[in-house]
Amino acid sequence: MAPSPACHRGQVASAHGKRNVRMRRREFMTLLCGSALYPLTARAQQSRIRRIGYLDYGAGILPSGGFAPFHDNYRRKPFLEGLRESGWVEGQNVTIDRRFAAGQADRLPALAAELVALNVDALLAAATPAAKAAQNATKRIPIVMADPGDAVHLGFVSSLARPGGNITGVTSLAPEVAAKRIALLKEAFPKTARVAVLWNSAIPPAELALNELRAAAPMLGIDLQFVEVTGPPGFADAFAAITRDSADGLFVFPDPLTFGNRESIVGFANKNSIPAMFGAREFVEVGGLMSYGSDYPAMFRRAGNYVGRILNGESPAELPIEQPTKFELIINLKTARAFGFDIAPTLLARTDEVIE
């Protein structure tokens, strides 16, 4: 709720006669009445509990009914923190209706329609499929996307600077990041010649990222093997394809499916002595070798802040799509030693964080 303006008491004595005294008194009373009415108006505007729809392509609820730890720590809590920055607290002045597709993209249109039918005041759409479902479900309700991919190329907004419609958001993409990731992998392991690129075909990597990889690979002396996976059952076939084609490097696009299966991906790479570059630190925290990327919890915090600002009256059309400005290189030296990965010392010297 907007803070009430202070009512300052002041002297109204005049050195210029009664007429001026009366004028100043009228001015004072007008100001005083306006000050009194302002907080009443603000309270009236926020007396209604606001409602947010939260649509997530991934999984967030345990069979027991509680929040899954990964979603709770890396998505839900940062999102709520961002809301609080704009003055909104779940359970006090805002409620959140959550829907999770658990990696099943075909469920998203119905889930988005449910949230629209609830007449929520704003929608948060996590990941590209959720953002597309939300976009198709409403042109009226403001939508904030978290990690939508290439928002312009995918048709979500007309431009990053001025989205122009009912959609805005925060993305993990920035120019040349994909190329930088495989360049760092090559620098860490100069003999790398064939890199498998593991990606979720339900969330195609942004065309910008794919073009960057294709352009950078020849200059780095690398052949790329694109390996699609459509859901948890598909990882066994993906791992077999990577092994069969003798990839000596692995790059994993971060998305809800790979996040949710990061332990098995990390385990496969380490067990087969394949140096792996991941797009987020969450993979390194469970034993992955190295990552280069932005801060995903910070992205959800910023998305929460955007939702709060929209509830406060700002228009999504005027809120630019935010891109990350800081990327961190993180290396798990404990994993490197345990599985015999000999990382180039020059790269270790430039690492932002080393896990030992």
Side-chain angles (χ1 to χ4, degrees):
M1 183 172 71
S4 301
C7 292
H8 297 288
R9 291 195 178 110
Q11 292 182 349
V12 293
S14 171
H16 303 287
K18 291 184 178 180
R19 181 173 177 271
N20 285 344
V21 170
R22 285 194 298 271
M23 288 179 64
R24 290 184 182 180
R25 282 175 178 165
R26 284 198 297 271
E27 290 167 0
F28 175 76
M29 291 305 296
T30 300
L31 178 62
L32 182 63
C33 291
S35 299
L37 288 173
Y38 177 79
L40 292 176
T41 303
R43 283 197 293 270
Q45 289 175 343
Q46 292 203 4
S47 61
R48 178 175 67 87
I49 299 296
R50 309 304 288 273
R51 197 169 191 176
I52 298 169
Y54 187 107
L55 183 64
D56 199 318
Y57 168 70
I61 303 295
L62 296 171
S64 62
F67 290 109
F70 178 80
H71 170 77
D72 194 36
N73 294 320
Y74 292 95
R75 302 291 183 263
R76 189 183 76 90
K77 289 178 180 177
F79 177 73
L80 294 180
E81 180 183 342
L83 278 176
R84 283 194 297 271
E85 291 174 353
S86 298
W88 299 93
V89 180
E90 184 179 18
Q92 294 185 16
N93 55 3
V94 68
T95 62
I96 302 176
D97 295 285
R98 296 175 172 87
R99 299 292 186 274
F100 298 91
Q104 301 176 49
D106 58 348
R107 296 180 57 201
L108 286 167
L111 296 176
E114 287 181 18
L115 293 172
V116 171
L118 292 174
N119 198 30
V120 296
D121 297 290
L123 274 167
L124 184 285
T128 308
K132 183 58 67 175
Q135 180 187 38
N136 292 337
T138 181
K139 297 295 186 290
R140 174 182 58 86
I141 298 172
I143 298 169
V144 174
M145 307 177 294
D147 201 21
D150 190 336
V152 174
H153 178 80
L154 293 171
F156 291 122
V157 297
S158 56
S159 77
L160 297 180
R162 295 182 65 85
N166 68 317
I167 303 177
T168 186
V170 187
T171 181
S172 64
L173 287 182
E176 301 181 3
V177 172
K180 178 71 172 180
R181 284 166 171 158
I182 61 168
L184 288 169
L185 182 61
K186 178 72 173 183
E187 182 179 349
F189 303 94
K191 294 183 179 180
T192 301
R194 185 172 180 81
V195 175
V197 179
L198 184 66
W199 62 288
N200 176 7
S201 57
I203 307 181
E207 192 65 29
L208 173 64
L210 289 176
N211 288 338
E212 286 178 7
L213 290 177
R214 295 187 183 107
M219 293 185 289
L220 295 169
I222 290 175
D223 291 327
L224 297 177
Q225 174 196 3
F226 290 96
V227 183
E228 300 181 18
V229 62
T230 58
F235 279 104
D237 290 340
F239 295 158
I242 294 170
T243 303
R244 183 174 59 250
D245 288 357
S246 302
D248 55 2
L250 173 65
F251 169 59
V252 180
F253 270 101
D255 70 71
L257 178 62
T258 55
F259 272 124
N261 292 271
R262 61 196 183 283
E263 290 91 349
S264 62
I265 299 171
V266 166
F268 161 76
N270 291 344
K271 179 180 177 181
N272 290 275
S273 298
I274 302 175
M277 165 63 76
F278 300 96
R281 69 173 297 138
E282 288 84 345
F283 292 86
V284 179
E285 290 175 348
V286 296
L289 180 61
M290 57 194 301
S291 68
Y292 182 75
S294 57
D295 187 332
Y296 270 76
M299 179 173 59
F300 275 79
R301 181 181 60 79
R302 291 300 304 153
N305 182 273
Y306 259 24
V307 171
R309 290 170 64 179
I310 288 170
L311 294 182
N312 286 334
E314 294 190 54
S315 169
E318 302 298 324
L319 293 174
I321 299 289
E322 286 196 357
Q323 293 179 287
T325 57
K326 180 181 179 181
F327 295 87
E328 291 185 326
L329 174 63
I330 303 172
I331 292 178
N332 191 323
L333 204 55
K334 181 178 179 180
T335 294
R337 291 167 178 162
F339 295 94
F341 295 120
D342 189 14
I343 300 175
T346 54
L347 187 63
L348 280 173
R350 305 202 320 273
T351 301
D352 295 294
E353 183 179 342
V354 174
I355 297 176
E356 297 192 68

